Amino acid sequence: MSKLRFNVVEKAFQTKPVNVTVPKERPSEYFAKYVFNREKMFKYLPTDVYNRLADAMDNGATLDREIADKVADGMRRWAMELGATHYTHWFQPLTEGTAEKHDAFVEHDGKGGMLEEFSGKLLVQQEPDASSFPNGGIRNTFEARGYSAWDPSSPVFVVDDTLCIPTVFIAYTGESLDYKAPLLKALRAVDKAAVDVCRYFDANVKKVFAYLGWEQEYFLVDEGLYAARPDLLLTGRTLMGHEASKNQQLEDHYFGAIPSRVAAFMKDLEIQALELGIPVKTRHNEVAPNQFELAPIYEECNLAVDHNMLIMSLMRKIARNHGFRVLLHEKPFKGVNGSGKHNNWSLGTDNGVLLMAPGKTTEENLRFITFVVNTLMAVYRHNGLLKASIMSATNAHRLGANEAPPAIISSFLGTQLSKVLDHIEESSTDELISLGGKHGMKLDIPQIPELLIDNTDRNRTSPFAFTGNRFEFRAVGSEANCASAMIALNTAVAEQLVIFKQKVDALIEQGEPKISAIIQVVRHFIKECKPIRFDGNGYSEEWKKEAARRGLDCETSCPLIFDRYLAPESIRMFEVTGVMTQKELEARNEVKWEMYTKKIQIEARVLGDLVMNHVVPVATEYQTKLIDNVYKLKGLFPPEEANKLSAENITIIKEIAEHTSYIKEHVDAMVEARKVANKITDERKKAIAYHDNIAPMLEQIRYHIDKLELIVDDQMWTLPKYRELLFIR
């Protein structure tokens, strides 16, 4: 083992768990300690101001400047009692991360001194530079003005010494430059459309909420090993590395005992997350070695997205305190599971009814079927767009392998729900069959109580699976902003619910009874969206052929998948619902193509550096030692015996020569291909060139590097190997 590898591996072996200071209070007592929630609002704001702010949060009412001043003053007093000295508008630009600019609570007092101040003007609106964030050509470099505007529906919070204010981010000309603005519009659209449909069943429904429960998968690696791998450091994934003899094939890591160092990290993360109002609940080992999962209780969609962005930031910071680096890349290691961020999505009313859950009466079940079928129709009509919403250069490595869903959107319903829909489709009457909830299963073990079995099984290869009272959008990538998928899904469902109501109302106007009209339209949609329903193995070659026959989107090229955002039906959907304009969609696609190109470009450059500075020199040095050994054997033994003794070394020498020759030749070819692609000015065409001509070279070169790793003396290999990255604690 090389000296560098020996040092970092030895240090990793010796690293001990960090002691975590656990609060003496119960979690319920310190939950949201650093969040300006309703309890703190009521305490720090005048009653009339509190009521106006609550109205703005619940119903979207406008806050005038005088009220904003009083809210800002209350926020400042609360934050300063927690030690805050600064404030920031916290927003989500099109970088998949968050952004913030900190300003102090200080102003001149007019007497040569300073005073702590925070006005409603500063709370409601700020003006960060809009030209340096990805904008897809909406803003030029010399057009720098952009605005961040407070989102009252997501509570402010304190991190370290800074009051963080969740905001939208828009251009001077009004277009959204972030994820939050279109998400809020999509949630408003689905709320309005769903309320209109709900009133067929309950005239008292006033609001429908979209709920989201994300499951965050991630890897942990020792910080020293991470620093010794330039590819992990610069791209988030290993661009080379032969898989370890043992990885996940024994399935012994999944739900196994959590290693002590990891448990300390998780405990620290959970405490800080709970203090920030993030209701984390579940933690466990995932399938791959060093892979783990964190999941919260479900929340309203906008707040859930904010919390997921915040938790990823917390994970990165806290991991370093424990000697780890957290990897959120969807496929950091080849040959083992990648990481997703399953988005569990559902709808619920203001009177507590879950619209995706079966009911106890015929009418409640009809409502349930109505919303399930309209969701299926939305997914069917926009399956290509939904795939585009979760596609990226990083997630493309994960989809279709090791329990990740394939790059074809379909929906698993389970046997019971499928039978119900088939019955409605084939029936000539308005009769509905009953929908059972959980049923009992008795085991032939006396001491084990009766089990309650759900009405659906699970299908890990389904990208969009129904799981009892919600749909699980499993295809979302681990480092993605959940908002991207939630914007597309909620907008598609909103559009579909509007279409559904128009068709039902038309039948009612013709004299059809309401229930009969609803069932007729539902029956029509069940037949129309049948191609999206698939309960089988999403990995099989047969399914790929069948999906194409059904007319589902089977495109696998990442840059071409992005085209779905600009399909006429997508533009029409986003514009009719008021979520995004064609100009905004075109700009976002420019950003997507540019980001794809840059990520592949960086990976190609990093791999080239690794080849020239690590792989080829080490392989050549080992080859030289073998050559020297061959000459010494020939000088020591008779020719015939020397040839026999050196035959194996000569074979290895030839193998090294073949691999290094291939690597150097193709790295040079990759450099030339990049030069050609970089001359293309059209971002879409450039991204396609990188996908078609450069990305495949990364895997081709990697194959030969990984072969060399098996050949070269382990003591000479400078880079930490998979067996060290994935198993050291």
Side-chain angles (χ1 to χ4, degrees):
M1 189 183 296
S2 71
K3 186 175 182 180
L4 171 64
R5 258 177 69 216
F6 176 81
N7 288 338
V8 295
V9 171
E10 184 180 42
K11 184 177 179 181
F13 266 124
Q14 294 173 349
T15 304
K16 302 298 181 184
V18 174
N19 290 325
V20 178
T21 302
V22 180
K24 294 180 181 179
E25 311 100 310
R26 291 173 296 179
S28 60
E29 295 175 314
Y30 62 81
F31 179 72
K33 175 181 178 180
Y34 296 111
V35 180
F36 195 64
N37 57 13
R38 293 188 189 236
E39 177 189 351
K40 278 94 170 193
M41 291 175 194
F42 189 79
K43 178 179 178 181
Y44 286 86
L45 302 179
T47 301
D48 63 321
V49 174
Y50 170 81
N51 291 333
R52 293 281 298 277
L53 180 56
D55 189 31
M57 294 171 64
D58 295 337
N59 305 310
T62 303
L63 286 175
D64 58 40
R65 188 51 56 91
E66 181 184 355
I67 294 294
D69 282 337
K70 293 178 180 177
V71 173
D73 183 64
M75 283 182 181
R76 178 189 59 79
R77 287 187 290 112
W78 166 76
M80 291 185 68
E81 287 179 12
L82 292 173
T85 56
H86 289 69
Y87 65 91
T88 183
H89 273 202
W90 183 80
F91 58 98
Q92 301 166 27
L94 303 177
T95 58
E96 302 299 329
T98 58
E100 51 197 70
K101 174 174 72 74
H102 298 196
D103 288 296
F105 290 125
V106 292
E107 296 291 343
H108 285 293
D109 65 358
K111 302 174 184 178
M114 305 291 289
L115 55 82
E116 288 79 19
E117 191 174 273
F118 183 50
S119 67
K121 177 182 177 181
L122 297 175
L123 166 64
V124 170
Q125 180 179 316
Q126 291 281 288
E127 187 188 317
D129 188 335
S131 65
S132 298
F133 289 105
N135 59 62
I138 284 180
R139 307 295 287 156
N140 293 308
T141 302
F142 61 86
E143 297 172 315
R145 199 180 296 275
Y147 298 107
S148 54
W150 174 38
D151 169 22
S153 64
S154 185
V156 303
F157 53 93
V158 169
V159 174
D160 297 327
D161 65 351
T162 304
L163 174 68
C164 300
I165 305 160
T167 62
V168 300
F169 182 44
I170 61 172
Y172 176 74
T173 46
E175 295 88 2
S176 60
L177 296 173
D178 69 340
Y179 283 105
K180 181 181 276 285
L183 176 63
L184 290 173
K185 293 177 182 178
L187 296 175
R188 181 181 62 190
V190 79
D191 167 25
K192 183 178 184 304
V195 165
D196 287 344
V197 174
C198 279
R199 286 178 177 167
Y200 285 137
F201 308 96
D202 182 355
N204 296 317
V205 173
K206 296 178 182 177
K207 190 172 182 62
V208 169
F209 300 93
Y211 293 105
L212 170 63
W214 41 264
E215 303 169 26
Q216 181 70 60
E217 295 176 338
Y218 61 96
F219 282 83
L220 289 174
V221 295
D222 287 287
E223 190 165 30
L225 295 170
Y226 172 89
R229 288 290 304 233
D231 47 356
L232 275 181
L233 187 69
L234 298 175
T235 73
R237 77 179 183 104
T238 52
L239 300 175
M240 49 172 279
H242 197 282
E243 64 182 74
S245 301
K246 176 187 180 295
N247 47 55
Q248 67 185 46
Q249 64 264 52
L250 295 180
E251 299 171 336
D252 53 345
H253 189 259
Y254 190 47
F255 279 24
I258 299 172
S260 55
R261 278 182 65 199
V262 177
F265 157 76
M266 288 179 169
K267 186 183 298 183
D268 201 355
L269 175 62
E270 287 176 358
I271 291 168
Q272 295 191 44
L274 289 168
E275 289 177 335
L276 286 166
I278 306 172
V280 291
K281 183 178 179 68
T282 302
R283 65 188 185 197
H284 63 82
N285 288 7
E286 257 300 334
V287 176
N290 282 19
Q291 188 186 32
F292 308 93
E293 182 178 297
L294 167 75
I297 301 170
Y298 292 18
E299 299 179 283
E300 184 276 325
C301 188
N302 177 45
L303 182 59
V305 169
D306 283 357
H307 280 168
N308 183 248
M309 299 304 293
L310 182 55
I311 201 79
M312 288 193 290
S313 177
L314 275 178
M315 291 168 76
R316 293 185 180 100
K317 180 178 73 172
I318 295 170
R320 298 195 68 175
N321 295 338
H322 291 260
F324 287 123
R325 285 299 184 107
V326 64
L327 303 180
L328 295 173
H329 191 291
E330 284 80 1
K331 196 74 170 179
F333 301 104
K334 188 175 181 179
V336 298
N337 274 24
S339 296
K341 179 151 48 195
H342 307 161
N343 279 204
N344 294 277
W345 171 88
S346 63
L347 297 173
T349 68
D350 56 339
N351 53 11
V353 174
L354 284 178
L355 298 175
M356 298 296 174
K360 295 180 180 179
T361 67
T362 300
E363 189 165 292
E364 289 174 349
N365 283 331
L366 178 57
R367 181 185 59 206
F368 161 68
I369 293 295
T370 295
F371 278 92
V372 166
V373 170
N374 276 288
T375 300
L376 291 173
M377 269 298 297
V379 174
Y380 171 58
R381 294 178 68 234
H382 295 288
N383 68 93
L385 174 66
L386 287 172
K387 179 164 64 176
S389 76
I390 56 88
M391 184 54 70
S392 65
T394 53
N395 203 22
H397 292 290
R398 162 183 168 258
L399 295 179
N402 299 97
E403 291 194 5
I408 301 170
I409 300 296
S410 64
S411 185
F412 166 86
L413 297 182
T415 304
Q416 185 184 17
L417 186 52
S418 292
K419 284 182 178 179
V420 172
L421 298 191
D422 291 342
H423 172 79
I424 297 172
E425 177 188 354
E426 296 162 5
S427 175
S428 58
T429 70
D430 293 342
E431 177 190 0
L432 286 175
I433 66 172
S434 63
L435 283 160
K438 295 187 177 183
H439 61 278
M441 175 189 287
K442 291 186 177 180
L443 301 179
D444 192 20
I445 307 174
Q447 63 268 39
I448 301 298
E450 181 180 62
L451 302 180
L452 290 178
I453 307 302
D454 287 284
N455 56 22
T456 67
D457 197 352
R458 289 186 176 232
N459 186 326
R460 291 192 174 277
T461 69
S462 178
F464 196 81
F466 182 72
T467 56
N469 60 4
R470 64 194 183 275
F471 281 94
E472 183 179 11
F473 198 177
R474 295 179 54 83
V476 182
S478 54
E479 71 174 359
N481 188 324
C482 296
S484 179
M486 291 296 100
I487 291 166
L489 177 59
N490 284 291
T491 306
V493 172
E495 179 201 42
Q496 175 58 32
L497 289 172
V498 170
I499 294 171
F500 172 79
K501 187 173 187 302
Q502 290 171 346
K503 290 184 177 293
V504 171
D505 287 350
L507 288 176
I508 293 174
E509 288 175 8
Q510 295 169 18
E512 194 74 32
K514 181 181 71 174
I515 296 299
S516 177
I518 291 172
I519 292 176
Q520 284 188 46
V521 178
V522 165
R523 180 178 293 124
H524 170 75
F525 285 153
I526 289 173
K527 293 177 181 177
E528 187 175 348
C529 72
K530 204 163 188 177
I532 204 68
R533 290 162 50 191
F534 178 66
D535 289 0
N537 180 9
Y539 291 162
S540 69
E541 290 300 318
E542 291 78 12
W543 165 235
K544 294 177 184 178
K545 295 174 184 177
E546 172 64 16
R549 189 189 66 77
R550 294 186 186 189
L552 301 182
D553 193 311
C554 298
E555 181 59 64
T556 57
S557 167
C558 191
L560 295 180
I561 289 171
F562 293 150
D563 287 345
R564 307 305 181 254
Y565 272 100
L566 300 179
E569 60 271 20
S570 297
I571 294 172
R572 183 171 57 252
M573 178 193 79
F574 282 116
E575 291 194 329
V576 166
T577 54
V579 174
M580 282 188 281
T581 65
Q582 181 170 345
K583 183 178 181 181
E584 289 173 316
L585 291 167
E586 290 171 346
R588 284 165 188 265
N589 260 30
E590 286 288 307
V591 173
K592 288 178 181 292
W593 285 317
E594 183 181 4
M595 286 294 183
Y596 178 86
T597 296
K598 287 178 176 178
K599 288 193 174 184
I600 303 300
Q601 186 180 67
I602 291 169
E603 288 187 352
R605 294 172 66 179
V606 171
L607 186 62
D609 289 345
L610 285 173
V611 163
M612 301 312 297
N613 294 307
H614 288 271
V615 177
V616 170
V618 170
T620 303
E621 183 182 357
Y622 182 58
Q623 185 185 46
T624 301
K625 286 188 174 184
L626 292 177
I627 292 171
D628 184 57
N629 179 262
V630 168
Y631 276 108
K632 287 178 178 177
L633 286 172
K634 289 186 176 181
L636 187 62
F637 297 99
E640 186 176 340
E641 189 175 354
N643 290 337
K644 185 178 179 180
L645 292 172
S646 61
E648 185 175 344
N649 280 353
I650 291 173
T651 299
I652 296 173
I653 290 166
K654 289 179 179 178
E655 286 183 21
I656 293 174
E658 290 169 358
H659 290 306
T660 54
S661 176
Y662 182 97
I663 290 168
K664 287 189 287 187
E665 179 183 336
H666 283 75
V667 165
D668 290 343
M670 185 170 64
V671 171
E672 292 304 312
R674 285 199 342 253
K675 289 179 180 178
V676 172
N678 290 341
K679 293 178 182 178
I680 301 173
T681 55
D682 182 278
E683 291 295 346
R684 178 180 180 274
K685 292 179 180 177
K686 185 188 292 185
I688 292 171
Y690 264 86
H691 174 274
D692 293 350
N693 303 328
I694 297 163
M697 291 186 181
L698 295 173
E699 285 304 307
Q700 293 163 2
I701 294 168
R702 175 182 187 143
Y703 172 82
H704 290 272
I705 294 174
D706 292 353
K707 289 295 184 182
L708 282 176
E709 182 184 314
L710 292 178
I711 295 171
V712 173
D713 184 352
D714 182 66
Q715 295 190 40
M716 298 176 65
W717 199 258
T718 58
L719 300 171
K721 298 184 176 182
Y722 270 28
R723 67 170 183 261
E724 295 152 359
L725 290 166
L726 286 171
F727 293 98
I728 289 181
R729 280 287 172 267

